[in-house]
Amino acid sequence: MLIRFKKRSEKIAMGLLSFMPAEKEVKKLQDTIQEYEVNEDWQLFLWKEGDDVLGAIGVRLDQDNHQAIIQHISVTPSHRNSGIGKKMVDELQKHYGSPYKLVANDVTRKFFEKCKETPKE
Ligand SMILES: CC(C)(COP(=O)(O)OP(=O)(O)OC[C@H]1O[C@@H](n2cnc3c(N)ncnc32)[C@H](O)[C@@H]1OP(=O)(O)O)[C@@H](O)C(=O)NCCC(=O)NCCS
């Protein structure tokens, strides 16, 4: 299930975000997680199965254009290719509902487009 990120899961969230190509440097990663903690428009969610956190998806809300822009998406390597990435995208669209259209940025576009191709299970 998709749950909103809380500071107590900071380390696990940083571990997941570090799989993003642009988040390899510790300083950049710390700045990113800080932004998710303080900026209301930056919203990070974790994918939890039982006690395990297996994925992370983060958006920036663009209030003017009513868009939730996916900036980060990552699944722990041992659980990739089992549909978690797509499930996070689908659940997040449901979470935001109609006020916000879920879109991608240049970094996340390829996977986002891939999700739209695949029929829902
Ligand atoms: C991208 C990522 C989140 C996908 O998570 P996942 O749970 O494995 O995704 P799903 O199981 O829902 O979907 C798997 C499908 O997406 C494809 N896929 C994986 N990464 C992709 C990418 N960057 N662009 C396009 N398609 C991609 C897989 O090849 C697979 O395709 P198939 O079903 O035709 O075999 C995961 O690979 C990851 O954490 N990557 C490292 C972080 C990253 O680079 N994020 C940005 C990606 S744009």
Side-chain angles (χ1 to χ4, degrees), residues 16-22 24 54-56 71-77 79-89 105-115 117-118 121:
L16 284 161
L17 292 181
S18 72
F19 293 118
M20 297 288 303
K24 299 280 177 223
L54 302 177
Q71 335 186 82
H72 297 101
I73 181 158
S74 176
V75 170
T76 198
H79 285 73
R80 287 186 193 160
N81 292 309
S82 60
I84 293 175
K86 179 169 161 48
K87 274 191 262 184
M88 290 198 295
V89 169
N105 69 7
D106 286 346
V107 179
T108 58
R109 183 158 296 118
K110 269 179 73 182
F111 181 67
F112 185 66
E113 293 299 324
K114 168 91 195 172
C115 289
E117 283 168 16
T118 323
E121 281 152 34

Side-chain angles (χ1 to χ4, degrees), residues 38-101:
V38 300
N39 185 338
E40 286 276 300
D41 288 335
W42 280 49
Q43 302 196 349
L44 183 64
F45 298 80
L46 301 176
W47 184 263
K48 225 175 156 189
E49 292 186 3
D51 289 335
D52 300 326
V53 177
L54 302 177
I57 184 165
V59 299
R60 179 175 65 80
L61 298 182
D62 176 349
Q63 308 281 359
D64 294 338
N65 296 304
H66 303 283
Q67 288 183 337
I69 305 160
I70 305 173
Q71 335 186 82
H72 297 101
I73 181 158
S74 176
V75 170
T76 198
S78 57
H79 285 73
R80 287 186 193 160
N81 292 309
S82 60
I84 293 175
K86 179 169 161 48
K87 274 191 262 184
M88 290 198 295
V89 169
D90 290 346
E91 288 296 311
L92 203 57
Q93 181 61 76
K94 278 191 232 157
H95 171 82
Y96 285 116
S98 52
Y100 288 100
K101 184 175 192 297

